[in-house]
Amino acid sequence: MLKLNKTEWVPPSFILNGVPGLEDVHIWISFPFCSMYVVAMAGNCGLLYLIYCEDSLHKPMYYFLAMLSLTDLVICSSTVPKALSIFWFHLKEIGFDGCLIQMFFVHTFTGMESGVLMLMALDRYVAICYPLRYSTILTNPVIAKAGLSTFLRGVLLIIPFPFLIKRLPYCKGNVIPHTYCDHMSVAKLSCGNTKVNAIYGLIVALLIGGFDILCITISYTMILRAVVSLSSAEARRKAFSTCTAHICAIVFSYSPAFFSFFSHRFGGHTVPPSCHIIMANIYLLLPPTMNPVVYGVKTKQIRDCVSGILSGSKNTKSQSI
């Protein structure tokens, strides 16, 4: 039998090919990417500024919202600038180590976003089920420890990814059909055994996403029971209205994630690769874009703070005139 010799090498760099099959319309795809990035950066920076400056927003719910905004800013800034450089200037090359760094940041902070959404569900559970003990349970040290634990969980679970990628031999070229370095997209270029990568990636998804979804489900089950037991219809409406923005954030975050997860595993041949890549980018871009908008519209205290700042600036202008 003839044995084919495959040259095994570690590529010095990778080529990110953007959205496969849609190279001719990259410039048009870039417009929604750029618009969403601008909205996400402006909205999340605005939220962080508002939470920092307004004493009325120095509460557990808004501290968790600040964590979510910081996480969203990192996710956007880790992926979109490189994607836009591919679409606009055809700068597709990324160094091997740069690719691993991008992979680490993307996976760590998407995991952290899921964790923060879970913490926000627990915050709503305590606020509705134990309103009198809310401020004593969720103290500043507890919030800080919860945020740090969520971050460390992501770091410790994701840090093996770069090492799992580095150990692989590569012989299938260095072109990645994606806009950013995803763990399995890079692993697929290897001619070695990637079973460990696939199994560990699934375990991480279950430990982060599965655990967080379970906690969110339990929290909202308990919230629903507490709200239904309230005697007044107005009290039920007010209690549940405090959760509306958070429920929207969960939908925006997990819907693209579920579609991407299931289409990869069960629709590999029926769903075109371009659809996979676009959904993967929507998964990273939609939550950072929509979260500030949803919380700005649905949360009365944030609306009041924004109105106060705007009216104050108008009064200052009128006085100067």
Side-chain angles (χ1 to χ4, degrees):
M1 289 179 67
L2 289 173
K3 226 176 188 179
L4 293 174
N5 289 325
K6 292 183 179 179
T7 306
E8 295 179 359
W9 61 299
V10 176
S13 61
F14 291 109
I15 304 297
L16 291 168
N17 222 18
V19 184
L22 298 177
E23 288 85 358
D24 293 339
V25 292
H26 271 177
I27 192 68
W28 299 108
I29 296 172
S30 71
F31 289 120
F33 269 67
C34 185
S35 303
M36 292 174 80
Y37 182 54
V38 169
V39 171
M41 293 297 289
N44 286 293
C45 288
L47 263 182
L48 287 171
Y49 174 77
L50 208 60
I51 292 167
Y52 176 76
C53 292
E54 294 293 329
D55 291 338
S56 61
L57 300 182
H58 292 176
K59 295 176 183 177
M61 174 182 169
Y62 301 104
Y63 290 145
F64 287 126
L65 182 56
M67 288 182 202
L68 189 66
S69 290
L70 277 171
T71 305
D72 286 340
L73 285 171
V74 175
I75 292 171
C76 279
S77 300
S78 300
T79 55
V80 179
K82 182 60 185 175
L84 292 177
S85 72
I86 295 168
F87 296 150
W88 288 343
F89 310 112
H90 304 287
L91 299 174
K92 300 182 177 184
E93 189 174 4
I94 184 170
F96 187 85
D97 291 332
C99 186
L100 296 184
I101 291 168
Q102 186 187 50
M103 178 196 307
F104 174 76
F105 271 86
V106 168
H107 290 298
T108 297
F109 282 91
T110 50
M112 185 169 176
E113 181 171 51
S114 176
V116 173
L117 288 172
M118 179 264 291
L119 293 177
M120 293 173 89
L122 296 176
D123 165 74
R124 292 298 84 207
Y125 164 69
V126 175
I128 291 171
C129 297
Y130 303 99
L132 299 178
R133 295 171 56 198
Y134 179 62
S135 57
T136 56
I137 293 173
L138 290 177
T139 58
N140 288 348
V142 169
I143 294 165
K145 286 174 186 174
L148 183 61
S149 301
T150 305
F151 173 69
L152 290 176
R153 179 190 69 167
V155 170
L156 293 174
L157 286 173
I158 300 302
I159 208 163
F161 279 3
F163 295 103
L164 288 172
I165 290 295
K166 269 199 165 184
R167 74 182 178 87
L168 294 171
Y170 293 88
C171 58
K172 296 180 182 178
N174 65 338
V175 178
I176 302 171
H178 216 307
T179 56
Y180 63 89
C181 290
D182 174 70
H183 173 229
M184 286 311 295
S185 297
V186 179
K188 284 176 184 176
L189 297 179
S190 171
C191 51
N193 187 352
T194 60
K195 191 178 286 185
V196 174
N197 295 67
I199 291 171
Y200 185 72
L202 189 59
I203 289 169
V204 169
L206 290 172
L207 287 175
I208 293 179
F211 176 77
D212 292 344
I213 290 167
L214 178 65
C215 289
I216 289 168
T217 304
I218 292 170
S219 296
Y220 272 101
T221 303
M222 301 298 287
I223 287 169
L224 199 59
R225 285 178 59 186
V227 170
V228 169
S229 66
L230 293 172
S231 55
S232 163
E234 181 63 19
R236 287 196 295 270
R237 188 193 65 77
K238 279 186 178 178
F240 206 71
S241 68
T242 63
C243 303
T244 309
H246 182 244
I247 292 169
C248 291
I250 291 169
V251 170
F252 288 133
S253 184
Y254 285 114
S255 297
F258 281 137
F259 178 86
S260 188
F261 180 83
F262 287 113
S263 64
H264 264 295
R265 278 151 186 80
F266 306 111
H269 299 293
T270 55
V271 180
S274 58
C275 188
H276 286 303
I277 305 307
I278 288 170
M279 283 308 300
N281 282 279
I282 287 174
Y283 165 55
L284 297 182
L285 261 176
L286 187 64
T289 305
M290 294 307 298
N291 287 344
V293 176
V294 168
Y295 274 94
V297 171
K298 294 286 185 183
T299 311
K300 185 179 181 298
Q301 280 178 291
I302 292 177
R303 287 201 311 270
D304 291 344
C305 289
V306 171
S307 325
I309 289 170
L310 292 175
S311 61
S313 63
K314 283 179 184 176
N315 291 337
T316 306
K317 282 182 182 179
S318 61
Q319 284 172 10
S320 63
I321 291 169

